[in-house]
Amino acid sequence: IIRLNPTQYAHVLDNNTNVTRVLIGPRTQARQEHELKVFGPEEMVLVPPRHYCIVQNPVKRDDKGEVITNKQDQVQLAYGEEEIRTEGPPFPLYPGEVLKLPPTPLSIVPPQTALRLEAIRDLDDKGTHRSAGDEWL
């Protein structure tokens, strides 16, 4: 039996389909014969106000913000990508996601100073194209 509090999650492997799914609390679930708990229960990641965290290999989401899955209900990951997440409701890490940087306070830029930014890959920033290696304030 897997018991999850409202802020907990767990990963369960279905040995019939070889797909790991996420159980999100609050929940009490009896494990089936063909299922194996591979991770958890673990506390969800909570990012407080004025903080951020970095998630490596984030899940892909559609236009509505829903997690994209394949035919076997396995979540689709953006391998090699990193996603910066700011304050919001607590979230679980899906199978394959890695919390690269735990919740960290945002840097505050003092008056009369600026941040020098450098692009690590090509991007479009509010209509301005930036190439990898470009620097700007």
Side-chain angles (χ1 to χ4, degrees), residues 95-134:
E97 286 186 321
V98 178
L99 187 62
K100 183 176 179 183
L101 181 70
T104 306
L106 289 168
S107 299
I108 298 174
V109 181
Q112 304 297 318
T113 61
L115 290 177
R116 187 172 77 190
L117 304 175
E118 180 180 359
I120 57 174
R121 63 179 177 190
D122 294 350
L123 67 110
D124 287 318
D125 180 31
K126 298 179 184 173
T128 305
H129 178 73
R130 309 228 189 247
S131 299
D134 286 355

mmCIF file of all heavy atoms in Angstrom, residues 95-134:
data_model
loop_
_atom_site.group_PDB
_atom_site.id
_atom_site.type_symbol
_atom_site.label_atom_id
_atom_site.label_comp_id
_atom_site.label_asym_id
_atom_site.label_seq_id
_atom_site.Cartn_x
_atom_site.Cartn_y
_atom_site.Cartn_z
ATOM 1 N N PRO A 95 9.406 10.919 -13.958
ATOM 2 C CA PRO A 95 10.532 10.009 -14.203
ATOM 3 C C PRO A 95 11.453 10.554 -15.294
ATOM 4 O O PRO A 95 11.009 10.905 -16.380
ATOM 5 C CB PRO A 95 9.845 8.722 -14.657
ATOM 6 C CG PRO A 95 8.480 8.789 -14.082
ATOM 7 C CD PRO A 95 8.119 10.238 -14.064
ATOM 8 N N GLY A 96 12.724 10.679 -14.976
ATOM 9 C CA GLY A 96 13.710 11.205 -15.926
ATOM 10 C C GLY A 96 14.078 12.648 -15.664
ATOM 11 O O GLY A 96 15.130 13.109 -16.083
ATOM 12 N N GLU A 97 13.217 13.394 -14.974
ATOM 13 C CA GLU A 97 13.545 14.779 -14.639
ATOM 14 C C GLU A 97 14.541 14.785 -13.480
ATOM 15 O O GLU A 97 14.496 13.932 -12.606
ATOM 16 C CB GLU A 97 12.306 15.572 -14.219
ATOM 17 C CG GLU A 97 11.393 15.951 -15.344
ATOM 18 C CD GLU A 97 10.264 16.854 -14.875
ATOM 19 O OE1 GLU A 97 9.726 16.656 -13.777
ATOM 20 O OE2 GLU A 97 9.916 17.768 -15.648
ATOM 21 N N VAL A 98 15.431 15.775 -13.490
ATOM 22 C CA VAL A 98 16.434 15.905 -12.440
ATOM 23 C C VAL A 98 16.402 17.341 -11.931
ATOM 24 O O VAL A 98 16.400 18.283 -12.724
ATOM 25 C CB VAL A 98 17.850 15.584 -12.981
ATOM 26 C CG1 VAL A 98 18.905 15.767 -11.907
ATOM 27 C CG2 VAL A 98 17.895 14.185 -13.549
ATOM 28 N N LEU A 99 16.372 17.505 -10.617
ATOM 29 C CA LEU A 99 16.439 18.840 -10.025
ATOM 30 C C LEU A 99 17.909 19.245 -9.979
ATOM 31 O O LEU A 99 18.649 18.850 -9.082
ATOM 32 C CB LEU A 99 15.821 18.835 -8.624
ATOM 33 C CG LEU A 99 15.662 20.189 -7.958
ATOM 34 C CD1 LEU A 99 14.723 21.093 -8.771
ATOM 35 C CD2 LEU A 99 15.134 20.031 -6.558
ATOM 36 N N LYS A 100 18.344 20.013 -10.990
ATOM 37 C CA LYS A 100 19.750 20.385 -11.107
ATOM 38 C C LYS A 100 20.133 21.420 -10.059
ATOM 39 O O LYS A 100 21.221 21.369 -9.494
ATOM 40 C CB LYS A 100 20.024 20.927 -12.514
ATOM 41 C CG LYS A 100 21.464 21.281 -12.752
ATOM 42 C CD LYS A 100 21.702 21.723 -14.161
ATOM 43 C CE LYS A 100 23.161 22.088 -14.371
ATOM 44 N NZ LYS A 100 23.394 22.582 -15.717
ATOM 45 N N LEU A 101 19.235 22.381 -9.804
ATOM 46 C CA LEU A 101 19.488 23.427 -8.815
ATOM 47 C C LEU A 101 18.261 23.544 -7.931
ATOM 48 O O LEU A 101 17.170 23.824 -8.430
ATOM 49 C CB LEU A 101 19.775 24.760 -9.511
ATOM 50 C CG LEU A 101 20.088 25.937 -8.611
ATOM 51 C CD1 LEU A 101 21.453 25.748 -7.950
ATOM 52 C CD2 LEU A 101 20.077 27.227 -9.403
ATOM 53 N N PRO A 102 18.396 23.310 -6.635
ATOM 54 C CA PRO A 102 17.234 23.427 -5.746
ATOM 55 C C PRO A 102 16.773 24.880 -5.659
ATOM 56 O O PRO A 102 17.478 25.781 -6.123
ATOM 57 C CB PRO A 102 17.762 22.921 -4.400
ATOM 58 C CG PRO A 102 19.234 23.057 -4.476
ATOM 59 C CD PRO A 102 19.611 22.934 -5.908
ATOM 60 N N PRO A 103 15.600 25.137 -5.079
ATOM 61 C CA PRO A 103 15.114 26.516 -4.989
ATOM 62 C C PRO A 103 16.169 27.451 -4.398
ATOM 63 O O PRO A 103 16.723 27.214 -3.338
ATOM 64 C CB PRO A 103 13.887 26.402 -4.088
ATOM 65 C CG PRO A 103 13.385 25.022 -4.355
ATOM 66 C CD PRO A 103 14.623 24.194 -4.556
ATOM 67 N N THR A 104 16.445 28.516 -5.165
ATOM 68 C CA THR A 104 17.505 29.471 -4.846
ATOM 69 C C THR A 104 16.938 30.881 -4.958
ATOM 70 O O THR A 104 16.164 31.161 -5.877
ATOM 71 C CB THR A 104 18.662 29.307 -5.862
ATOM 72 O OG1 THR A 104 19.061 27.940 -5.868
ATOM 73 C CG2 THR A 104 19.843 30.174 -5.523
ATOM 74 N N PRO A 105 17.328 31.810 -4.051
ATOM 75 C CA PRO A 105 16.825 33.186 -4.161
ATOM 76 C C PRO A 105 17.269 33.839 -5.472
ATOM 77 O O PRO A 105 18.378 33.601 -5.959
ATOM 78 C CB PRO A 105 17.459 33.907 -2.962
ATOM 79 C CG PRO A 105 17.859 32.826 -2.019
ATOM 80 C CD PRO A 105 18.154 31.615 -2.864
ATOM 81 N N LEU A 106 16.376 34.652 -6.049
ATOM 82 C CA LEU A 106 16.712 35.397 -7.256
ATOM 83 C C LEU A 106 17.759 36.459 -6.947
ATOM 84 O O LEU A 106 17.798 37.003 -5.833
ATOM 85 C CB LEU A 106 15.463 36.094 -7.813
ATOM 86 C CG LEU A 106 14.412 35.198 -8.439
ATOM 87 C CD1 LEU A 106 13.131 35.987 -8.678
ATOM 88 C CD2 LEU A 106 14.913 34.630 -9.744
ATOM 89 N N SER A 107 18.613 36.758 -7.904
ATOM 90 C CA SER A 107 19.603 37.816 -7.738
ATOM 91 C C SER A 107 18.917 39.161 -7.929
ATOM 92 O O SER A 107 18.131 39.334 -8.860
ATOM 93 C CB SER A 107 20.722 37.677 -8.766
ATOM 94 O OG SER A 107 21.376 36.448 -8.610
ATOM 95 N N ILE A 108 19.229 40.095 -7.059
ATOM 96 C CA ILE A 108 18.658 41.436 -7.164
ATOM 97 C C ILE A 108 19.734 42.349 -7.714
ATOM 98 O O ILE A 108 20.854 42.414 -7.180
ATOM 99 C CB ILE A 108 18.158 41.932 -5.798
ATOM 100 C CG1 ILE A 108 17.042 41.009 -5.318
ATOM 101 C CG2 ILE A 108 17.700 43.379 -5.872
ATOM 102 C CD1 ILE A 108 16.550 41.293 -3.933
ATOM 103 N N VAL A 109 19.403 43.067 -8.784
ATOM 104 C CA VAL A 109 20.356 43.960 -9.422
ATOM 105 C C VAL A 109 20.270 45.321 -8.729
ATOM 106 O O VAL A 109 19.215 45.958 -8.750
ATOM 107 C CB VAL A 109 20.057 44.103 -10.928
ATOM 108 C CG1 VAL A 109 21.070 45.018 -11.590
ATOM 109 C CG2 VAL A 109 20.060 42.738 -11.588
ATOM 110 N N PRO A 110 21.358 45.773 -8.098
ATOM 111 C CA PRO A 110 21.325 47.070 -7.406
ATOM 112 C C PRO A 110 21.165 48.228 -8.394
ATOM 113 O O PRO A 110 21.452 48.082 -9.595
ATOM 114 C CB PRO A 110 22.682 47.151 -6.706
ATOM 115 C CG PRO A 110 23.267 45.790 -6.775
ATOM 116 C CD PRO A 110 22.616 45.083 -7.915
ATOM 117 N N PRO A 111 20.726 49.386 -7.912
ATOM 118 C CA PRO A 111 20.592 50.553 -8.792
ATOM 119 C C PRO A 111 21.946 50.936 -9.411
ATOM 120 O O PRO A 111 22.992 50.698 -8.818
ATOM 121 C CB PRO A 111 20.090 51.660 -7.868
ATOM 122 C CG PRO A 111 19.546 50.960 -6.673
ATOM 123 C CD PRO A 111 20.285 49.668 -6.564
ATOM 124 N N GLN A 112 21.899 51.495 -10.599
ATOM 125 C CA GLN A 112 23.072 51.961 -11.335
ATOM 126 C C GLN A 112 24.002 50.825 -11.742
ATOM 127 O O GLN A 112 25.188 51.033 -11.968
ATOM 128 C CB GLN A 112 23.848 53.011 -10.519
ATOM 129 C CG GLN A 112 23.034 54.202 -10.082
ATOM 130 C CD GLN A 112 22.513 55.003 -11.271
ATOM 131 O OE1 GLN A 112 23.238 55.221 -12.248
ATOM 132 N NE2 GLN A 112 21.257 55.430 -11.212
ATOM 133 N N THR A 113 23.470 49.599 -11.815
ATOM 134 C CA THR A 113 24.259 48.461 -12.291
ATOM 135 C C THR A 113 23.415 47.674 -13.293
ATOM 136 O O THR A 113 22.230 47.944 -13.462
ATOM 137 C CB THR A 113 24.682 47.533 -11.136
ATOM 138 O OG1 THR A 113 23.511 47.021 -10.510
ATOM 139 C CG2 THR A 113 25.532 48.257 -10.113
ATOM 140 N N ALA A 114 24.042 46.713 -13.952
ATOM 141 C CA ALA A 114 23.326 45.896 -14.938
ATOM 142 C C ALA A 114 23.927 44.499 -14.966
ATOM 143 O O ALA A 114 25.038 44.272 -14.490
ATOM 144 C CB ALA A 114 23.422 46.535 -16.320
ATOM 145 N N LEU A 115 23.165 43.574 -15.505
ATOM 146 C CA LEU A 115 23.660 42.228 -15.736
ATOM 147 C C LEU A 115 24.127 42.112 -17.169
ATOM 148 O O LEU A 115 23.459 42.604 -18.085
ATOM 149 C CB LEU A 115 22.564 41.193 -15.493
ATOM 150 C CG LEU A 115 22.102 40.966 -14.067
ATOM 151 C CD1 LEU A 115 20.955 39.963 -14.055
ATOM 152 C CD2 LEU A 115 23.232 40.457 -13.206
ATOM 153 N N ARG A 116 25.270 41.470 -17.395
ATOM 154 C CA ARG A 116 25.725 41.200 -18.759
ATOM 155 C C ARG A 116 25.329 39.763 -19.066
ATOM 156 O O ARG A 116 25.773 38.833 -18.414
ATOM 157 C CB ARG A 116 27.228 41.388 -18.874
ATOM 158 C CG ARG A 116 27.700 41.268 -20.319
ATOM 159 C CD ARG A 116 29.124 41.636 -20.458
ATOM 160 N NE ARG A 116 29.924 40.507 -19.972
ATOM 161 C CZ ARG A 116 31.226 40.570 -19.774
ATOM 162 N NH1 ARG A 116 31.868 41.700 -19.955
ATOM 163 N NH2 ARG A 116 31.885 39.516 -19.359
ATOM 164 N N LEU A 117 24.462 39.604 -20.051
ATOM 165 C CA LEU A 117 23.944 38.290 -20.427
ATOM 166 C C LEU A 117 24.677 37.770 -21.652
ATOM 167 O O LEU A 117 25.047 38.545 -22.537
ATOM 168 C CB LEU A 117 22.450 38.382 -20.713
ATOM 169 C CG LEU A 117 21.589 38.941 -19.581
ATOM 170 C CD1 LEU A 117 20.163 39.099 -20.047
ATOM 171 C CD2 LEU A 117 21.657 38.047 -18.372
ATOM 172 N N GLU A 118 24.858 36.452 -21.706
ATOM 173 C CA GLU A 118 25.475 35.817 -22.861
ATOM 174 C C GLU A 118 24.592 34.651 -23.291
ATOM 175 O O GLU A 118 24.208 33.818 -22.461
ATOM 176 C CB GLU A 118 26.871 35.311 -22.522
ATOM 177 C CG GLU A 118 27.554 34.641 -23.696
ATOM 178 C CD GLU A 118 28.944 34.135 -23.364
ATOM 179 O OE1 GLU A 118 29.395 34.324 -22.222
ATOM 180 O OE2 GLU A 118 29.555 33.541 -24.252
ATOM 181 N N ALA A 119 24.272 34.596 -24.581
ATOM 182 C CA ALA A 119 23.444 33.515 -25.126
ATOM 183 C C ALA A 119 24.301 32.258 -25.256
ATOM 184 O O ALA A 119 25.399 32.302 -25.809
ATOM 185 C CB ALA A 119 22.865 33.908 -26.466
ATOM 186 N N ILE A 120 23.782 31.135 -24.739
ATOM 187 C CA ILE A 120 24.512 29.877 -24.885
ATOM 188 C C ILE A 120 24.004 29.083 -26.082
ATOM 189 O O ILE A 120 24.585 28.081 -26.453
ATOM 190 C CB ILE A 120 24.441 29.035 -23.597
ATOM 191 C CG1 ILE A 120 23.000 28.761 -23.200
ATOM 192 C CG2 ILE A 120 25.189 29.726 -22.470
ATOM 193 C CD1 ILE A 120 22.858 27.821 -22.024
ATOM 194 N N ARG A 121 22.886 29.562 -26.685
ATOM 195 C CA ARG A 121 22.374 28.980 -27.924
ATOM 196 C C ARG A 121 21.503 30.021 -28.614
ATOM 197 O O ARG A 121 21.150 31.039 -28.030
ATOM 198 C CB ARG A 121 21.594 27.700 -27.658
ATOM 199 C CG ARG A 121 20.372 27.911 -26.823
ATOM 200 C CD ARG A 121 19.656 26.611 -26.646
ATOM 201 N NE ARG A 121 18.513 26.813 -25.780
ATOM 202 C CZ ARG A 121 17.802 25.858 -25.276
ATOM 203 N NH1 ARG A 121 18.101 24.612 -25.538
ATOM 204 N NH2 ARG A 121 16.785 26.113 -24.504
ATOM 205 N N ASP A 122 21.167 29.785 -29.873
ATOM 206 C CA ASP A 122 20.362 30.735 -30.637
ATOM 207 C C ASP A 122 18.971 30.856 -30.029
ATOM 208 O O ASP A 122 18.388 29.866 -29.579
ATOM 209 C CB ASP A 122 20.239 30.289 -32.101
ATOM 210 C CG ASP A 122 21.585 30.323 -32.820
ATOM 211 O OD1 ASP A 122 22.547 30.863 -32.255
ATOM 212 O OD2 ASP A 122 21.648 29.805 -33.948
ATOM 213 N N LEU A 123 18.440 32.113 -30.035
ATOM 214 C CA LEU A 123 17.097 32.335 -29.504
ATOM 215 C C LEU A 123 16.520 33.614 -30.074
ATOM 216 O O LEU A 123 17.236 34.451 -30.627
ATOM 217 C CB LEU A 123 17.121 32.413 -27.965
ATOM 218 C CG LEU A 123 17.846 33.614 -27.360
ATOM 219 C CD1 LEU A 123 16.835 34.551 -26.740
ATOM 220 C CD2 LEU A 123 18.828 33.150 -26.310
ATOM 221 N N ASP A 124 15.202 33.747 -29.983
ATOM 222 C CA ASP A 124 14.508 34.977 -30.346
ATOM 223 C C ASP A 124 13.989 35.598 -29.063
ATOM 224 O O ASP A 124 13.184 35.004 -28.346
ATOM 225 C CB ASP A 124 13.345 34.696 -31.303
ATOM 226 C CG ASP A 124 13.850 34.357 -32.698
ATOM 227 O OD1 ASP A 124 14.791 35.022 -33.152
ATOM 228 O OD2 ASP A 124 13.295 33.428 -33.311
ATOM 229 N N ASP A 125 14.479 36.805 -28.765
ATOM 230 C CA ASP A 125 14.142 37.501 -27.527
ATOM 231 C C ASP A 125 13.273 38.704 -27.845
ATOM 232 O O ASP A 125 13.770 39.756 -28.212
ATOM 233 C CB ASP A 125 15.425 37.926 -26.814
ATOM 234 C CG ASP A 125 15.173 38.653 -25.519
ATOM 235 O OD1 ASP A 125 14.157 38.356 -24.865
ATOM 236 O OD2 ASP A 125 15.993 39.518 -25.146
ATOM 237 N N LYS A 126 11.945 38.521 -27.739
ATOM 238 C CA LYS A 126 10.976 39.599 -27.997
ATOM 239 C C LYS A 126 11.229 40.261 -29.346
ATOM 240 O O LYS A 126 11.320 41.477 -29.468
ATOM 241 C CB LYS A 126 11.023 40.646 -26.876
ATOM 242 C CG LYS A 126 10.652 40.088 -25.526
ATOM 243 C CD LYS A 126 10.746 41.138 -24.452
ATOM 244 C CE LYS A 126 10.465 40.524 -23.094
ATOM 245 N NZ LYS A 126 10.706 41.447 -22.004
ATOM 246 N N GLY A 127 11.395 39.435 -30.375
ATOM 247 C CA GLY A 127 11.576 39.942 -31.728
ATOM 248 C C GLY A 127 13.025 40.171 -32.111
ATOM 249 O O GLY A 127 13.326 40.455 -33.267
ATOM 250 N N THR A 128 13.961 40.082 -31.181
ATOM 251 C CA THR A 128 15.380 40.267 -31.464
ATOM 252 C C THR A 128 16.047 38.906 -31.539
ATOM 253 O O THR A 128 15.954 38.124 -30.598
ATOM 254 C CB THR A 128 16.047 41.104 -30.346
ATOM 255 O OG1 THR A 128 15.354 42.329 -30.201
ATOM 256 C CG2 THR A 128 17.501 41.374 -30.671
ATOM 257 N N HIS A 129 16.708 38.626 -32.671
ATOM 258 C CA HIS A 129 17.393 37.341 -32.814
ATOM 259 C C HIS A 129 18.758 37.430 -32.152
ATOM 260 O O HIS A 129 19.525 38.368 -32.381
ATOM 261 C CB HIS A 129 17.553 36.973 -34.293
ATOM 262 C CG HIS A 129 18.294 35.678 -34.470
ATOM 263 N ND1 HIS A 129 17.711 34.468 -34.192
ATOM 264 C CD2 HIS A 129 19.574 35.421 -34.842
ATOM 265 C CE1 HIS A 129 18.601 33.506 -34.411
ATOM 266 N NE2 HIS A 129 19.732 34.071 -34.807
ATOM 267 N N ARG A 130 19.066 36.474 -31.328
ATOM 268 C CA ARG A 130 20.364 36.409 -30.662
ATOM 269 C C ARG A 130 21.020 35.089 -31.019
ATOM 270 O O ARG A 130 20.394 34.025 -30.944
ATOM 271 C CB ARG A 130 20.201 36.507 -29.154
ATOM 272 C CG ARG A 130 19.361 37.694 -28.730
ATOM 273 C CD ARG A 130 20.034 38.455 -27.632
ATOM 274 N NE ARG A 130 19.141 39.464 -27.091
ATOM 275 C CZ ARG A 130 19.351 40.768 -27.214
ATOM 276 N NH1 ARG A 130 20.406 41.203 -27.860
ATOM 277 N NH2 ARG A 130 18.528 41.628 -26.685
ATOM 278 N N SER A 131 22.277 35.132 -31.394
ATOM 279 C CA SER A 131 23.038 33.930 -31.739
ATOM 280 C C SER A 131 23.867 33.497 -30.542
ATOM 281 O O SER A 131 24.163 34.309 -29.653
ATOM 282 C CB SER A 131 23.968 34.217 -32.914
ATOM 283 O OG SER A 131 23.233 34.597 -34.049
ATOM 284 N N ALA A 132 24.257 32.243 -30.538
ATOM 285 C CA ALA A 132 25.093 31.733 -29.451
ATOM 286 C C ALA A 132 26.382 32.561 -29.381
ATOM 287 O O ALA A 132 27.016 32.810 -30.394
ATOM 288 C CB ALA A 132 25.411 30.263 -29.678
ATOM 289 N N GLY A 133 26.729 33.011 -28.179
ATOM 290 C CA GLY A 133 27.928 33.820 -27.990
ATOM 291 C C GLY A 133 27.642 35.308 -27.931
ATOM 292 O O GLY A 133 28.502 36.073 -27.494
ATOM 293 N N ASP A 134 26.442 35.762 -28.344
ATOM 294 C CA ASP A 134 26.100 37.184 -28.259
ATOM 295 C C ASP A 134 26.023 37.612 -26.808
ATOM 296 O O ASP A 134 25.573 36.868 -25.946
ATOM 297 C CB ASP A 134 24.751 37.479 -28.922
ATOM 298 C CG ASP A 134 24.815 37.429 -30.436
ATOM 299 O OD1 ASP A 134 25.931 37.260 -30.972
ATOM 300 O OD2 ASP A 134 23.746 37.562 -31.080
#
